[in-house]
């Protein structure tokens, strides 16, 4: 009897919970992040059953075998264990420039890596970032307008939260897009205003399409406040030209929009005819009124490039042409979290201030950097070429970033089966791909896409020696699926 009463009591206690899915913030329920959505969860189940999974769903280089940069980790080791600097054998374990760099960083960091820093980040590191921006763009950067963060995503969310006041505030986002933006806009209760990239034109920008999109949104009562672009593109891999950036800057000026430049893949360029063009540099070289009027937020991260330090969560944003009062408000909100993690801040410092020519670690650093980027370039070409050999698949050449985003023409029976199951057709394709091969990809519907088209995104990050196996798995599965 007592056991039955206890059971009834448990039922009642669960029934009377104050927080349920129905009573939580509805914006959280509407928020979706398919990079770690249904396919990813299915891959975890598969791994729990002891089956192989090749995680192609996320840009996480070291999880797929990429080694850390030697210099960065040597400096980080001394920063995290500063007592090693007093060891009489330290000069036998570490190069002289590594020891000097660790000593310099610790000298300029009150309390070391175990203490809170300023909420914008360690001032010394923010000055290093400002120096980096100036060296890359030729434009003076104010360290007071630089915020270090736990990855670039944190900064992007901070800015979006500041921009979105309610459901009639809109943010223009490229389609296909990285789901950070759609998820954050939904979470903060705003409206995603899509602008479609031209796939047949190599995922090109279309300014006329941008204007059409903003005009249609305004007609619906949406106040569009900012435009996001990703360069190089994620998931599309395209590189924007100086002309593209000038057009975007003029568009933002004409429509009174803040320009948000997601530039985390700036080191990842694979086409000899392409280069990374910085929005900060292009804006600084434009005439007035653009140069001083357009508000620009630029994001960068330690997670991508050739460094791939995703787990250390380092990144930054620079605010340019922003009102000082706005910077102060963002500083206030950043203070709620006290500070970004210190290892991530120093990973950022090492990204923007690598070893210099003549220093002991320079040759190895440059060798490791070249090997990683050259291999990524080969992998990008291999994968897009392999997709283009498959029936019903077309894949734009990966110009940059870390992904291929092939378009797939699915058979009618597969579309009908997906509809019966209540799934998007490309979700069904990716689930079947995972079940049969262990390859975990993200369906194009998770990034949004032109209506009536189907895609999936895969990284180019597995070890190069695994690519023949991965390509064979893709090919065998696809031919069977299409039959």
């Amino acid at each position: 009897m007592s056991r039955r009463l206890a059971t009834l009591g448990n039922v009642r206690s669960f029934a009377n919970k104050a927080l349920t899915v129905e009573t939580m913030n509805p914006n959280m329920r509407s928020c979706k992040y398919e990079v770690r959505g249904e396919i990813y969860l299915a891959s975890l189940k598969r791994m729990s059953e002891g089956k192989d999974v090749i995680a192609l769903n996320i840009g996480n280089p070291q999880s797929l075998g990429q080694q850390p940069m030697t210099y960065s980790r040597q400096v980080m080791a001394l920063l995290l264990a500063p007592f090693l600097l007093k060891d009489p054998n330290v000069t036998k374990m570490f190069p002289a420039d590594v020891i000097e760099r660790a000593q310099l960083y610790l000298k300029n960091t009150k309390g070391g890596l175990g203490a809170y820093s300023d909420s914008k980040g360690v001032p010394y590191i923010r000055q290093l970032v400002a120096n980096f921006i100036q060296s890359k763009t030729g434009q003076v950067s104010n360290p007071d307008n630089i915020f270090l963060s736990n990855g670039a995503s944190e900064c992007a969310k901070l800015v979006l939260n500041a921009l979105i006041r309610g459901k009639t505030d809109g943010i223009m986002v490229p389609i296909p897009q990285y789901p950070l933006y759609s998820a954050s806009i939904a979470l903060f209760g705003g409206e995603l205003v899509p602008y479609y990239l031209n796939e047949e034109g190599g995922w090109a920008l279309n300014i006329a399409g941008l204007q059409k999109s903003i005009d249609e949104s305004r007609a619906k009562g949406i106040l569009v406040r900012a435009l996001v672009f990703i360069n190089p593109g994620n998931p599309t891999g395209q590189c924007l030209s100086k002309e593209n950036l000038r057009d975007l800057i003029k568009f933002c000026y004409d429509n009174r929009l803040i320009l948000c430049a997601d530039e985390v893949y700036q080191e990842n360029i694979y086409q000899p005819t392409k280069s990374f063009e910085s929005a900060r540099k292009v804006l600084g070289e434009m005439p007035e009124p653009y140069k001083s009027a357009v508000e620009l937020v630029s994001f960068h991260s330690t997670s991508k490039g050739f460094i791939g330090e995703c787990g250390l969560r380092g990144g930054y944003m620079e605010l340019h042409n922003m009102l000082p009062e706005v910077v102060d408000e963002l500083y206030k909100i950043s203070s709620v979290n006290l500070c970004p993690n210190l290892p991530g801040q120093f990973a950022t410092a090492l990204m923007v201030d690598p070893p210099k020519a003549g220093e002991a670690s320079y040759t190895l650093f440059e060798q490791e950097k070249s090997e990683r980027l050259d291999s990524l370039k080969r992998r990008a070409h291999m994968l897009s070429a392999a997709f283009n050999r498959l029936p019903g698949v077309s894949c734009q050449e990966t110009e940059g970033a870390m992904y291929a985003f092939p378009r797939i023409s699915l058979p009618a029976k597969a579309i009908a089966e997906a509809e019966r199951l209540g799934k998007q057709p490309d979700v069904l394709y990716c689930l079947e791909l995972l079940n049969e091969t262990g390859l975990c990809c993200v369906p194009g519907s998770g990034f949004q896409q032109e209506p009536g088209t189907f895609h999936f995104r895969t990284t180019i990050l597995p070890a190069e020696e695994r690519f023949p196996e991965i390509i064979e798995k893709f090919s065998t599965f696809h031919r069977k699926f299409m039959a």
Side-chain angles (χ1 to χ4, degrees):
M1 181 63 133
S2 60
R3 187 176 299 172
R4 183 183 174 192
L5 287 173
T7 301
L8 288 171
N10 286 339
V11 170
R12 290 193 187 100
S13 67
F14 279 111
N16 294 325
K17 291 293 183 185
L19 180 63
T20 67
V21 172
E22 290 72 26
T23 61
M24 72 192 311
N25 184 339
N27 291 342
M28 294 186 74
R29 297 203 305 271
S30 64
C31 183
K32 295 180 180 179
Y33 187 72
E34 292 301 331
V35 172
R36 289 194 168 177
E38 181 179 0
I39 313 299
Y40 170 73
L41 296 176
S43 76
L44 295 182
K45 182 175 184 297
R46 180 182 172 90
M47 284 190 286
S48 72
E49 296 167 351
K51 299 175 182 177
D52 184 43
V53 170
I54 301 177
L56 305 175
N57 61 305
I58 193 166
N60 194 10
Q62 293 185 31
S63 74
L64 290 165
Q66 179 174 305
Q67 294 302 302
M69 297 292 286
T70 302
Y71 175 78
S72 300
R73 285 301 182 91
Q74 286 177 327
V75 175
M76 196 68 71
L78 291 175
L79 293 174
L80 287 165
F83 52 83
L84 291 176
L85 291 166
K86 299 177 182 178
D87 191 300
N89 294 313
V90 68
T91 56
K92 298 178 182 178
M93 295 184 287
F94 297 95
D97 61 330
V98 167
I99 295 169
E100 292 170 6
R101 181 65 68 90
Q103 290 172 331
L104 177 64
Y105 283 174
L106 290 170
K107 178 183 176 182
N108 286 280
T109 309
K110 187 176 181 180
L113 273 67
Y116 289 134
S117 75
D118 181 84
S119 298
K120 288 182 184 177
V122 174
Y124 178 79
I125 301 176
R126 287 190 279 121
Q127 183 62 61
L128 290 178
V129 172
N131 296 344
F132 169 78
I133 292 170
Q134 184 165 348
S135 70
K136 292 287 187 180
T137 67
Q139 307 298 316
V140 175
S141 176
N142 181 353
D144 289 337
N145 292 333
I146 290 167
F147 287 62
L148 304 181
S149 61
N150 299 309
S153 299
E154 185 175 82
C155 283
K157 288 186 287 187
L158 175 64
V159 171
L160 290 171
N161 196 10
L163 286 165
I164 297 170
R165 300 161 300 179
K167 61 184 180 181
T168 59
D169 281 337
I171 309 294
M172 298 192 76
V173 177
I175 303 298
Q177 53 95 34
Y178 176 44
L180 160 71
Y181 295 104
S182 56
S184 300
I185 292 166
L187 184 61
F188 299 136
E191 182 75 17
L192 187 148
V193 178
Y195 65 92
Y196 289 92
L197 303 176
N198 178 4
E199 182 171 5
E200 287 72 21
W203 298 112
L205 277 172
N206 181 333
I207 295 298
L210 283 171
Q211 194 61 55
K212 180 174 181 289
S213 179
I214 197 171
D215 290 344
E216 289 176 349
S217 295
R218 286 170 172 167
K220 296 174 185 175
I222 302 299
L223 176 61
V224 183
R225 307 204 67 201
L227 181 146
V228 173
F229 73 87
I230 308 172
N231 181 37
N234 176 13
T236 51
Q238 89 286 4
C239 297
L240 298 181
S241 66
K242 286 184 179 179
E243 184 181 358
N244 292 149
L245 292 173
R246 289 189 197 102
D247 287 343
L248 284 174
I249 289 166
K250 290 176 181 177
F251 178 82
C252 287
Y253 176 81
D254 291 341
N255 290 281
R256 201 166 175 240
L257 305 177
I258 291 171
L259 184 58
C260 298
D262 184 332
E263 298 176 334
V264 303
Y265 297 100
Q266 57 188 259
E267 293 282 356
N268 300 102
I269 309 293
Y270 310 125
Q271 294 289 340
T273 58
K274 299 291 182 178
S275 60
F276 168 71
E277 303 294 345
S278 160
R280 181 74 158 80
K281 183 175 190 293
V282 172
L283 176 59
E285 293 173 348
M286 290 181 71
E288 299 292 1
Y290 308 107
K291 182 176 181 177
S292 301
V294 173
E295 297 150 278
L296 172 66
V297 188
S298 302
F299 306 109
H300 197 11
S301 169
T302 64
S303 299
K304 312 304 178 186
F306 57 89
I307 298 172
E309 290 283 15
C310 300
L312 291 180
R313 307 310 298 134
Y316 71 82
M317 71 175 174
E318 184 201 28
L319 307 173
H320 183 60
N321 287 339
M322 291 281 186
L323 289 171
E325 297 86 351
V326 170
V327 178
D328 289 344
E329 288 298 315
L330 293 174
Y331 186 23
K332 177 185 72 178
I333 298 304
S334 296
S335 300
V336 174
N337 292 327
L338 295 177
C339 74
N341 83 88
L342 270 292
Q345 291 191 50
F346 280 101
T348 303
L350 290 162
M351 175 181 73
V352 300
D353 190 25
K356 298 171 179 62
E359 294 181 345
S361 299
Y362 177 78
T363 299
L364 178 59
F365 182 90
E366 289 297 312
Q367 177 187 332
E368 290 177 343
K369 174 182 175 180
S370 296
E371 287 173 353
R372 283 160 175 71
L373 292 175
D374 288 347
S375 178
L376 284 168
K377 180 178 178 179
R378 291 192 296 270
R379 284 176 268 174
H381 294 333
M382 269 194 283
L383 202 54
S384 58
F387 284 137
N388 282 321
R389 290 194 295 267
L390 294 176
V393 179
S394 65
C395 185
Q396 299 295 321
E397 188 73 27
T398 300
E399 297 176 354
M402 294 178 169
Y403 315 99
F405 195 62
R407 178 173 175 172
I408 46 178
S409 299
L410 297 177
K413 63 180 182 180
I415 296 173
E417 177 63 9
E419 185 176 347
R420 185 186 71 82
L421 295 172
K423 299 182 184 298
Q424 291 290 331
D426 48 14
V427 171
L428 176 64
Y429 181 94
C430 288
L431 278 172
E432 292 295 321
L433 175 67
L434 173 67
N435 292 336
E436 293 202 21
T437 69
L439 301 177
C440 180
C441 297
V442 187
S445 50
F447 300 92
Q448 303 190 31
Q449 53 197 343
E450 191 81 42
T453 68
F454 307 111
H455 301 77
F456 65 88
R457 189 191 77 168
T458 174
T459 72
I460 59 170
L461 295 175
E464 192 170 349
E465 58 267 24
R466 294 204 71 176
F467 262 59
E469 170 201 355
I470 290 168
I471 289 170
E472 178 59 32
K473 285 178 180 287
F474 269 124
S475 301
T476 300
F477 166 79
H478 181 77
R479 294 179 192 279
K480 179 181 175 183
F481 190 89
M482 296 293 285

